[in-house]
Amino acid sequence: MDSEYNIEWDEWYNDDVDEVLFMNHEGVLDDINEAMELIHRCVDMEVYQMGE
């Protein structure tokens, strides 16, 4: 993950624009998303023992 300050951000006039912009060049968020989906499936299937 990488980040940079958004030079166009203005706290007085534009609340919809983020102050900090994040970039996902290495696909870290994809890995986290996949892990969360696996956890969700395990909880749905009640396979709690596998997580110990």
Side-chain angles (χ1 to χ4, degrees), residues 1-51:
M1 296 278 306
D2 195 13
S3 63
E4 65 183 34
Y5 287 106
N6 184 358
I7 60 172
E8 296 180 15
W9 180 73
D10 184 349
E11 66 181 302
W12 291 102
Y13 298 108
N14 200 353
D15 288 341
D16 294 333
V17 177
D18 294 327
E19 178 181 4
V20 178
L21 302 173
F22 294 96
M23 284 73 67
N24 182 28
H25 300 293
E26 288 122 20
V28 173
L29 294 178
D30 295 333
D31 294 340
I32 293 171
N33 210 13
E34 186 177 332
M36 295 302 295
E37 288 176 15
L38 176 60
I39 291 169
H40 187 238
R41 272 187 270 141
C42 289
V43 170
D44 281 347
M45 296 171 54
E46 298 179 4
V47 287
Y48 308 116
Q49 295 297 331
M50 292 178 65

